[in-house]
Amino acid sequence: MTAPRRRRQPRQERSRATVERIVAAGRAVLIERGTEGLTTNHVAAAAGISPGSLYQYFGDKEAILDEVVTRYSDELEERVTGAFVATVAVRDPTEAVRRIVLALVDALAEHPALLRAVAQRMPRAGDDRRAAFARRVDALLTSTLVARSGGATRYPAGTVAWLVVRTVESLAVGFVLEDPPLGREEFADEVTALVLGYLARVLDPAP
Amino acid sequence: MTAPRRRRQPRQERSRATVERIVAAGRAVLIERGTEGLTTNHVAAAAGISPGSLYQYFGDKEAILDEVVTRYSDELEERVTGAFVATVAVRDPTEAVRRIVLALVDALAEHPALLRAVAQRMPRAGDDRRAAFARRVDALLTSTLVARSGGATRYPAGTVAWLVVRTVESLAVGFVLEDPPLGREEFADEVTALVLGYLARVLDPAP
DNA sequence: TGCTGATACGAGTTCCTGCTCGCTTTCAAC
DNA sequence: GTTGAAAGCGAGCAGGAACTCGTATCAGCA
């Protein structure tokens, strides 16, 4: 049996605030000290709380990290989704893709340290969170593709979406975390060219 | 002062073999138990050696991991370079790119566990190894691009190489580590289409 | 106001890690 | 055969991590 992720449901307002403080502290420690420096004592100290209190609400250290990552993922997803939505009215595909790419880059660039910490966790096999996240974005893109192309695709849209999403994601992450040889605008232009070049080739019924 | 990476130069044949056993054991433990399970005791046990003997040749645990990662990187680089070389004679760009992609995927797929362990280390900021590796592949691609295009590029070849290399690399890693919705051959075709679509668009002097 | 369960505390327990050091064994050179 | 440096050993040390538990405080209610 694994430890319970949550020990107690906070009932009073006070304890709900404590949970928030713990999560915020976890995020802060992750940003300041990285994955290595994320110890329960550090988190407790940063939250202005005793180590024991952590375990009132979280089964173990991992559960805290999980919560932090989940919220961060949700935040990112919200912004990306927002960019998609804000873009449905944009006729020009180039402009649409460009905007989405920029939204992603900007979202990621807000907390490079957090992104780095999360990226380190990402490649885990059984990580449902990342998989679920990617799948939702896949679905988003898939439906967009189908809508824009009128359903006339040579390949299953899911496959195309998988490639495009991972391409854009990893390029954006790389752009934020490494020091790339191009600027933000230029990056967006290039990625847009990359994506559209591929989509044009793949979506057109007649190659 | 940081610990010395190597303590003693092995003089006798016996000790040189010990170093090899340590590195091999480190690799094996990394594959079997992942980054978490890579403890000095485990490595020593796997090498059939006492913990103390590790420190005759390696300054600390990190130095062992470094050596394992270095050798793995070298191995990968060699195979990728080999694919590039074996491909210079191939006229058809589609076929050339396809072969290189397949070589990369196959190389990565040989030890998914090792790849996962290494990928986890990768996103570290100050990691020179990965940066150096990527830079060498960049250079390789850059020169290939310049050679094939006759020097007539709209963009600095280095920028193009950065994008292409990171795209292919991360797609290949994703293909091996996640469970992707396409097979090996199909994957190679799609990545080739993606890359060539971009290169065609970017390299042609007249769009 | 006094009672009760929820909340918070934090020193302490347990465990396991990386690493050391004094000793023993091996072996090449003389 | 002798010898001394190289190689190897492995119990054990120091440290720090995650986590516990007996105690104290607090908020809301009769």
Side-chain angles (χ1 to χ4, degrees), chain B residues 24-39:
Chain B
R27 181 177 167 126
V29 171
L30 206 59
I31 290 175
E32 280 163 31
R33 304 188 182 242
T35 314
E36 300 286 296
L38 189 88
T39 71

Side-chain angles (χ1 to χ4, degrees), chain B residues 90-114:
Chain B
V90 177
R91 281 285 171 191
D92 180 18
T94 302
E95 185 55 24
V97 171
R98 215 184 95 93
R99 287 195 194 176
I100 292 169
V101 169
L102 278 177
L104 176 61
V105 169
D106 291 344
L108 294 178
E110 222 151 82
H111 295 289
L114 194 51

Side-chain angles (χ1 to χ4, degrees), chain B residues 124-179:
Chain B
R124 304 180 78 160
D127 192 345
D128 289 340
R129 197 164 358 278
R130 186 257 172 78
F133 178 45
R135 234 177 289 123
R136 281 196 296 269
V137 181
D138 281 354
L140 204 56
L141 177 58
T142 303
S143 61
T144 306
L145 287 181
V146 171
R148 288 200 182 250
S149 71
T153 66
R154 281 207 330 230
Y155 293 98
T159 299
V160 173
W162 188 87
L163 281 152
V164 171
V165 167
R166 265 139 208 90
T167 298
V168 174
E169 174 195 307
S170 60
L171 283 177
V173 171
F175 178 78
V176 172
L177 293 187
E178 308 177 28
D179 44 11

